[in-house]
Amino acid sequence: MNRDIFMIKKRVYTLCICFIITLGSSGCSGVRPATLGVKDGRLSPCPSSPNCVSSQSLDREHAISPLMYAPLSASAAHDKLKKIIWGMKRTEIITDTGTYIHAEFTSAVWRFVDDVEFFFDESSNTIHIRSASRLGKSDFGVNRKRIESIRSLWNAREH
């Protein structure tokens, strides 16, 4: 009887270790959403979950201020923003069209991926922003903190 319990515990322990190793090696990246990008001058709306912020959102939970780039040209603002993104850890720019940037930010431990989008609205000298977690419901404010960190770097750098 004791041997049977020992064998069951050993199997459960082995399965747990295998699961953790698989999770750690594959990460929690999820699948890149098909809804990314700009459509009719707008980034995708945030889902109802609190793990997304957007400068085009109308509700307080998801709303965040855009970046303003006047008196810079759109091209100079684009270059400045790319330098900020490249300077951040575990970041990869996936798409860059000149008026739109999609970057993936990956967490250090569990390798969660957040999709961060920037849309340059040249008619208002505004960079609209959307930052959203791919997986889960809560992000403990990580997306909002990231955008505010980018804003601080944006405001601190010389034009």
Side-chain angles (χ1 to χ4, degrees):
M1 184 70 160
N2 284 340
R3 181 169 165 74
D4 291 339
I5 293 173
F6 172 76
M7 293 304 291
I8 291 170
K9 285 183 179 182
K10 184 176 177 183
R11 284 184 190 153
V12 169
Y13 177 77
T14 303
L15 286 172
C16 287
I17 294 297
C18 288
F19 176 75
I20 290 169
I21 290 170
T22 302
L23 186 62
S25 64
S26 66
C28 298
S29 60
V31 176
R32 188 174 294 141
T35 57
L36 298 176
V38 180
K39 292 163 190 76
D40 298 322
R42 298 196 57 82
L43 298 166
S44 295
C46 285
S48 61
S49 58
N51 60 359
C52 177
V53 294
S54 173
S55 62
Q56 293 179 321
S57 181
L58 300 177
D59 67 273
R60 288 180 56 176
E61 180 181 23
H62 298 106
I64 197 160
S65 297
L67 299 175
M68 306 305 290
Y69 63 83
L72 293 176
S73 68
S75 176
H78 177 269
D79 292 345
K80 179 179 173 178
L81 181 59
K82 278 179 63 172
K83 287 178 186 173
I84 291 170
I85 295 168
W86 283 334
M88 301 181 86
K89 294 179 180 177
R90 298 174 305 282
T91 303
E92 181 181 0
I93 294 177
I94 304 301
T95 306
D96 181 0
T97 68
T99 59
Y100 170 80
I101 296 172
H102 166 228
E104 293 178 348
F105 288 72
T106 305
S107 66
V109 177
W110 292 107
R111 314 287 298 157
F112 286 108
V113 175
D114 294 338
D115 294 290
V116 184
E117 300 174 277
F118 304 91
F119 166 54
F120 293 76
D121 182 351
E122 294 182 43
S123 67
S124 62
N125 294 337
T126 301
I127 304 171
H128 286 289
I129 305 162
R130 182 180 184 273
S131 184
S133 302
R134 279 191 190 168
L135 300 174
K137 182 174 170 133
S138 177
D139 67 347
F140 303 102
V142 168
N143 283 292
R144 185 171 298 279
K145 289 174 192 169
R146 176 185 301 113
I147 298 305
E148 293 306 337
S149 175
I150 290 171
R151 183 184 319 286
S152 293
L153 293 167
W154 178 265
N155 291 332
R157 299 213 177 189
E158 291 297 317
H159 297 292

